[in-house]
């Protein structure tokens, strides 16, 4: 298929293929993170399928004082990147193509999950996001839709919408793409000065510090579980820890005792917060919006001693630029 730039739903419907159709939804200003989504879509649908990239800066998901007008628009560069990554078409509609009667009176409501974290910081954002995703799913008619895990709450809400409203599409999450220094790829990174970028690296460093703390706690738990009698209570456990203490410090033995009881979510949060607290004292400083360790099913905070999947999410401002990042974690991998 020849690469196409299409502007209307009619032009989209005219695109024919023998295989599945995949869509990658973007607001433009494409970077390698988007290219990774396109490559994943192309691999999934194969040579006979069709990959459509949407480029649409959605006014409904920008709140008062946010950067709708400032948001970069780089269509020529977006077309080149999309084609190089394997897309068959870019759908770049005008606002009145997506919202022909002006702002829609009927919208998708994100519900309780949409009021937490990003939703609390940006009221109405997720309602606007889900509304345009629903419209673009109708317009593009895909079998599969690919989204980055960097926007973890967005991805969770889209999956919930698709499930709750019976959209006939498979939602595919693709891992976050990072630059060599660890900063998650984002169209907003271009707003950062060199000094601001150095401070912004605290977001990924905080997430990695939390991941490393969890790994260390899980390792302690594994050692504790391997000790004879470690699963018992009273004298049996005390004797097991005493045997470990013959070769290790008492503090280490105490940590192992705690690890048997469960890996602490609070310790993981604390490891991340320590990095962010340091960045708050940097020049220029990082201003934290939120740091949250949440259940990926509903984005509520997990309790200390949580077992299972979790997402550690962070949002902060450096200068005038707001950035988000997250990392998936698994508690209780050692049983």
């Amino acid at each position: 298929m020849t690469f196409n730039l299409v502007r209307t739903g009619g032009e989209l419907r005219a695109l024919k293929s023998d295989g599945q159709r995949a869509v990658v939804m973007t607001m433009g200003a494409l970077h390698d993170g988007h290219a990774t989504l396109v490559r994943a879509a192309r691999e999934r649908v194969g040579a006979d399928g069709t990959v459509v990239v949407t480029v649409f800066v959605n006014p409904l998901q920008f709140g008062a004082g946010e950067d709708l007008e400032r948001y970069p628009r780089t269509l020529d560069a977006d077309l080149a990147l999309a084609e190089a990554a394997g897309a068959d078409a870019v759908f770049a509609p005008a606002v009145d193509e997506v919202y022909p009667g002006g702002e829609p009176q009927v919208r998708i409501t994100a519900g309780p999950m949409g009021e937490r974290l990003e939703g609390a910081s940006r009221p109405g954002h997720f309602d606007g996001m889900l509304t345009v995703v629903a419209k673009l799913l109708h317009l593009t008619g895909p079998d599969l839709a690919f989204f980055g895990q960097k926007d973890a709450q967005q991805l969770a809400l889209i999956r919930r919408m698709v499930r709750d409203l019976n959209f006939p599409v498979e939602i595919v999450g693709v891992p976050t793409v990072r630059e060599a220094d660890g900063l998650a790829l984002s169209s907003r990174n271009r707003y950062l000065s060199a000094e601001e970028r150095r401070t912004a690296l605290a977001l990924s460093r905080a997430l990695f510090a939390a991941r490393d703390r969890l790994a260390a706690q899980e390792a302690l738990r594994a050692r504790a579980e391997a000790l004879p009698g470690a699963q018992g209570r009273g004298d049996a456990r005390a004797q097991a820890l005493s045997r470990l203490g013959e070769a290790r410090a008492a503090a280490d033995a105490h940590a192992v005792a705690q690890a048997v009881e469960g890996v602490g979510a609070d310790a993981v949060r604390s490891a991340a917060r320590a990095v962010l607290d340091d960045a708050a004292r940097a020049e220029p400083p990082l201003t934290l919006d939120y740091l949250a360790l949440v259940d990926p099913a509903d984005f509520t905070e997990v309790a200390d001693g949580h077992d299972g999947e979790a997402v550690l999410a962070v949002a902060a401002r450096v200068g005038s630029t707001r950035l988000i990042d997250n990392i998936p974690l698994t508690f209780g991998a050692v049983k």
Side-chain angles (χ1 to χ4, degrees):
M1 178 185 293
T2 302
F3 180 77
N4 294 277
L5 168 62
V6 295
R7 297 286 194 174
T8 69
E11 291 174 328
L12 266 178
R13 289 188 291 274
L15 297 177
K16 303 297 183 183
S17 71
D18 296 327
Q20 291 183 308
R21 175 176 290 192
V23 64
V24 175
M25 296 185 190
T26 83
M27 292 207 301
L30 303 188
H31 50 64
D32 196 52
H34 298 110
T36 298
L37 295 175
V38 176
R39 288 191 289 267
R42 169 53 64 201
E43 182 176 358
R44 181 70 182 271
V45 302
D48 292 334
T50 302
V51 177
V52 176
V53 175
T54 69
V55 173
F56 180 66
V57 181
N58 177 34
L60 296 192
Q61 64 195 74
F62 287 81
E66 293 190 332
D67 54 357
L68 173 60
E69 297 307 320
R70 184 186 178 205
Y71 198 87
R73 285 137 171 106
T74 58
L75 184 58
D76 288 344
D78 294 344
L79 293 171
L81 184 146
E83 183 176 14
D88 296 296
V90 166
F91 177 47
V95 172
D96 60 3
E97 176 72 19
V98 179
Y99 303 120
E103 288 196 8
Q105 295 184 33
V106 177
R107 307 188 187 196
I108 303 291
T109 299
M113 193 190 340
E115 298 172 357
R116 300 174 186 133
L117 301 187
E118 284 298 289
S121 297
R122 306 174 66 191
H125 167 73
F126 284 127
D127 292 357
M129 178 276 294
L130 290 178
T131 298
V132 80
V133 168
K135 289 182 72 74
L136 289 172
L137 287 174
H138 289 313
L139 286 165
T140 59
D143 302 288
L144 309 108
F146 288 73
F147 295 90
Q149 292 177 359
K150 173 179 171 289
D151 297 297
Q153 192 173 3
Q154 169 180 284
L155 175 58
L157 281 163
I158 291 169
R159 283 177 165 152
R160 186 63 187 249
M161 178 186 73
V162 164
R163 181 169 69 249
D164 286 356
L165 301 184
N166 300 103
F167 279 75
V169 61
E170 179 184 344
I171 303 301
V172 182
V174 177
T176 300
V177 178
R178 298 184 180 277
E179 300 194 41
D181 57 10
L183 190 67
L185 284 176
S186 169
S187 301
R188 290 185 169 94
N189 290 352
R190 68 185 67 196
Y191 300 150
L192 298 169
S193 69
E195 294 78 12
E196 289 171 342
R197 185 185 176 92
R198 283 196 292 271
T199 297
L201 293 176
L203 272 72
S204 56
R205 286 203 308 269
L207 298 178
F208 299 156
R211 178 195 61 193
D212 293 346
R213 174 67 64 86
L214 176 59
Q217 290 186 159
E218 291 283 1
L220 283 172
R221 193 181 206 182
R223 283 173 33 219
E225 295 287 353
L227 288 168
Q231 296 292 336
R233 290 290 186 267
D235 289 343
R237 175 175 291 171
Q239 291 170 9
L241 292 174
S242 177
R243 285 193 292 275
L244 180 66
E246 292 173 3
R248 298 186 181 273
D252 190 33
H254 177 66
V256 172
Q258 291 179 316
V260 174
E261 298 298 336
V263 176
D266 287 348
V268 170
R269 289 186 185 94
S270 295
R273 187 167 291 277
V275 176
L276 297 170
D277 286 347
D278 284 344
R281 296 185 288 270
E283 184 54 47
L286 178 145
T287 302
L288 183 64
D289 188 345
Y290 61 75
L291 173 70
L293 184 61
V294 298
D295 185 329
D298 58 11
F299 273 67
T300 56
E301 288 277 356
V302 303
D304 204 32
H306 170 76
D307 266 5
E309 301 301 314
V311 172
L312 183 62
V314 62
R317 287 189 180 276
V318 182
S320 61
T321 303
R322 187 175 185 275
L323 300 170
I324 63 171
D325 203 349
N326 72 85
I327 193 169
L329 299 172
T330 303
F331 288 79
V334 176
K335 294 294 186 183

